[in-house]
Amino acid sequence: MRHLVWWLLCWTAAHADTNTTRQRLSVLPKAWLFGSANDRLKKKRVALLMAGNVRTHDSCAPSIRKHLLEHKYNDRWRFEVVALAYKERFGKAIHKDAVSKTWTQGKDVTDLDIRKHYMTWPCHVKIVDEEAVKKSIKRPPTSPHFARFTYMFRMLRDTYMFMDSLGSFDGVVRFRFDLKLLAPFKLHNFECANCVVVPGRMQPGPAAMALGTNCGGDRLWVQDHVAYGGRNAMRAYYVDTYEKYDRGGRPPRQHSVEAHLASVLKEKGVAVKCDTSIKYTIVR
């Protein structure tokens, strides 16, 4: 009797393994490689935010797909593209070195001009008129220089609010439309609730605000080209930089975008971390 019970137990165990194996083999190869739909939903939701003039995005988007969205290191994140673009393809540049002789205004930008680059990711796009944005600012600065980056910070703020309307995100990445990645952009965990990550050095050019922190022997630069961080920390980067003076406050006294951004982050207690592996350039 004992031998019979032992034989039955062995037979049950053997067939259980066989059934499990058959069940595993019936799973589609895509699920083996990339995880099931439920696994993908468990990934943290990250928004890639872009705002402003589209400019040379056609030549920059492939590098963003390759080095950020499709890179195997970033498989743990579930990306969505959130873009707020002017219908005017090119805007006036503040700096002389930002003026490109190849710029031609061309046709008005449509949402398809952005969506076509991100067909396999959720892509949320709004197209706005530059004059409408200018008129919506309560207290536009009289200085043309201050006015230009006031419009920029207003667009950043509106892009963040657009993202807010789409639900909860775990992380936020900031790119310019004309930013081209030169190396893998590896997102680390958004564990620091009150810090943003920026490149170890601004590229190209030295015009940036230094906070006096060393990063691999270089100064730590704060700039508006690229940054990422948790939702709350990036709110200071996106929203507070504009609302600081939109709600009755004075226009920024600093003489550069970078200085104003750095002062707001410092005021809000947001720490700035650096990642020297971030390599990029701006395509004029």
Side-chain angles (χ1 to χ4, degrees):
M1 186 66 181
R2 289 179 181 178
H3 292 289
L4 179 61
V5 172
W6 180 83
W7 182 85
L8 287 172
L9 289 173
C10 292
W11 183 90
T12 303
H15 280 69
D17 289 339
T18 302
N19 290 336
T20 302
T21 303
R22 287 173 181 170
Q23 185 177 6
R24 286 176 180 171
L25 291 175
S26 68
V27 178
L28 294 175
K30 187 174 181 180
W32 274 94
L33 292 172
F34 305 111
S36 65
N38 289 334
D39 291 334
R40 291 194 293 274
L41 290 175
K42 292 177 183 178
K43 295 180 180 180
K44 289 188 176 182
R45 193 181 184 202
V46 175
L48 169 58
L49 270 57
M50 295 181 285
N53 294 105
V54 172
R55 294 181 177 171
T56 56
H57 190 63
D58 284 346
S59 61
C60 297
S63 72
I64 295 174
R65 293 196 304 268
K66 176 181 177 181
H67 292 308
L68 173 69
L69 303 179
E70 297 173 345
H71 197 277
K72 60 183 180 180
Y73 185 90
N74 297 323
D75 188 54
R76 73 186 89 177
W77 315 116
R78 183 161 54 97
F79 290 104
E80 295 189 27
V81 177
V82 181
L84 187 65
Y86 287 123
K87 74 175 184 179
E88 298 82 7
R89 189 170 299 273
F90 297 102
K92 295 179 181 179
I94 297 175
H95 307 295
K96 291 182 180 180
D97 64 347
V99 178
S100 173
K101 294 180 180 179
T102 63
W103 286 3
T104 55
Q105 199 59 255
K107 296 180 180 179
D108 287 347
V109 173
T110 67
D111 60 349
L112 184 60
D113 289 318
I114 300 170
R115 292 182 189 277
K116 66 181 181 182
H117 296 295
Y118 308 103
M119 299 299 289
T120 55
W121 294 272
C123 189
H124 316 277
V125 181
K126 279 187 180 180
I127 308 298
V128 297
D129 181 80
E130 188 171 356
E131 288 300 319
V133 173
K134 292 179 180 178
K135 291 178 181 178
S136 69
I137 297 175
K138 298 177 183 177
R139 300 184 178 187
T142 55
S143 164
H145 182 82
F146 285 143
R148 288 301 303 168
F149 79 75
T150 299
Y151 304 148
M152 186 197 75
F153 281 125
R154 173 57 186 261
M155 284 291 283
L156 292 181
R157 177 256 189 195
D158 289 352
T159 309
Y160 189 96
M161 302 309 288
F162 180 25
M163 180 198 72
D164 254 354
S165 70
L166 301 172
S168 179
F169 286 86
D170 299 291
V172 178
V173 179
R174 150 68 173 165
F175 279 179
R176 283 175 47 144
F177 276 115
D178 54 1
L179 180 140
K180 181 179 181 180
L181 291 175
L182 303 177
F185 192 100
K186 298 180 179 180
L187 288 182
H188 303 288
N189 288 324
F190 298 96
E191 295 175 349
C192 178
N194 214 31
C195 66
V196 298
V197 180
V198 300
R201 192 172 185 82
M202 181 178 178
Q203 299 174 13
M209 174 64 184
L211 293 183
T213 304
N214 291 325
C215 178
D218 295 327
R219 303 175 78 182
L220 175 60
W221 302 95
V222 181
Q223 34 67 36
D224 65 297
H225 294 172
V226 53
Y228 75 87
R231 184 189 184 95
N232 293 332
M234 289 299 283
R235 180 181 175 85
Y237 187 104
Y238 270 91
V239 179
D240 295 329
T241 46
Y242 175 77
E243 294 192 347
K244 178 180 179 179
Y245 55 91
D246 183 57
R247 295 178 175 176
R250 293 182 178 181
R253 296 180 179 179
Q254 289 81 6
H255 297 289
S256 71
V257 169
E258 297 81 19
H260 176 63
L261 174 57
S263 67
V264 172
L265 293 178
K266 187 174 182 180
E267 178 183 305
K268 295 296 180 179
V270 176
V272 180
K273 308 290 184 180
C274 66
D275 184 350
T276 56
S277 71
I278 299 175
K279 304 296 181 183
Y280 74 96
T281 189
I282 302 299
V283 179
R284 305 296 185 187

